[in-house]
Amino acid sequence: MSSLSQCNMLGRLSNELILVCDDDLVVREANGLAVQTLGTAIIDHSLFDLFSPAAQGKGTAFVAELQRLSADQITPTWELMLDVPHGNKLLIGIRGGKLPGRGWLIMGGGEPSGISNLYHEVLALNIELTTLIRKLSREQTVLNDRIQRLLDLQEQYNVQPH
């Protein structure tokens, strides 16, 4: 099976964005998720075109690290901001490596660590908020009971308000 066929199979099985770039880092192939997320315009465009203007420096550093790799190495995951033509910018964790022969395989997706940390922080805050709401509800019940007892006492002693 050729490396191109293997990349196609990997692209159908994966839940990550997959880009196959030539030696000049021009995107030649992308899996369905990458096309759906980033648009069909990514094909035949430079990988640099995907980085948002604010992420160009970090994107250039990612590519420099990618180009220093030997054939059996991959980059660590980099959090990079990509421009999505039909939507907002997308913060994604991407990594890459050299394909056998020529070109580059770039994969991304999942939750970049920053996004994951934020998610867990929001989850913890949500739990704390739920606890506070329950506590407030219990205190509200106690106050309602006290008010009702005062009203009952007022009615019992027929005390008229001044």
Side-chain angles (χ1 to χ4, degrees), residues 81-110:
M81 187 71 68
L82 304 181
D83 273 335
V84 180
H86 55 280
N88 295 326
K89 296 184 183 332
L90 175 68
L91 180 64
I92 189 168
I94 66 171
R95 63 198 180 286
K98 204 171 221 165
L99 284 171
R102 300 176 61 117
W104 308 96
L105 180 66
I106 310 294
M107 295 181 71

Side-chain angles (χ1 to χ4, degrees), residues 65-77:
E65 181 171 339
L66 184 68
Q67 292 174 327
R68 284 191 295 268
L69 297 176
S70 63
D72 60 341
Q73 294 178 309
I74 60 168
T75 66
T77 300

Side-chain angles (χ1 to χ4, degrees), residues 99-157:
L99 284 171
R102 300 176 61 117
W104 308 96
L105 180 66
I106 310 294
M107 295 181 71
E111 294 179 341
S113 60
I115 298 296
S116 181
N117 291 342
L118 287 174
Y119 169 77
H120 292 293
E121 186 176 329
V122 167
L123 189 61
L125 289 171
N126 190 27
I127 291 168
E128 184 179 347
L129 183 59
T130 301
T131 302
L132 290 172
I133 289 170
R134 286 181 183 149
K135 184 178 178 182
L136 181 61
S137 178
R138 285 191 301 268
E139 289 177 8
Q140 177 84 30
T141 301
V142 169
L143 285 174
N144 286 341
D145 288 346
R146 287 181 181 170
I147 290 171
Q148 186 60 50
R149 278 187 276 157
L150 284 172
L151 290 173
D152 290 345
L153 278 173
Q154 180 182 5
E155 187 178 305
Q156 181 182 359
Y157 291 108

Side-chain angles (χ1 to χ4, degrees), residues 1 4-16 18 31-33:
M1 187 181 276
L4 199 53
S5 299
Q6 290 171 346
C7 289
N8 287 334
M9 177 64 79
L10 178 64
R12 288 194 303 274
L13 295 174
S14 177
N15 61 353
E16 292 190 293
I18 298 177
N31 70 340
L33 184 58

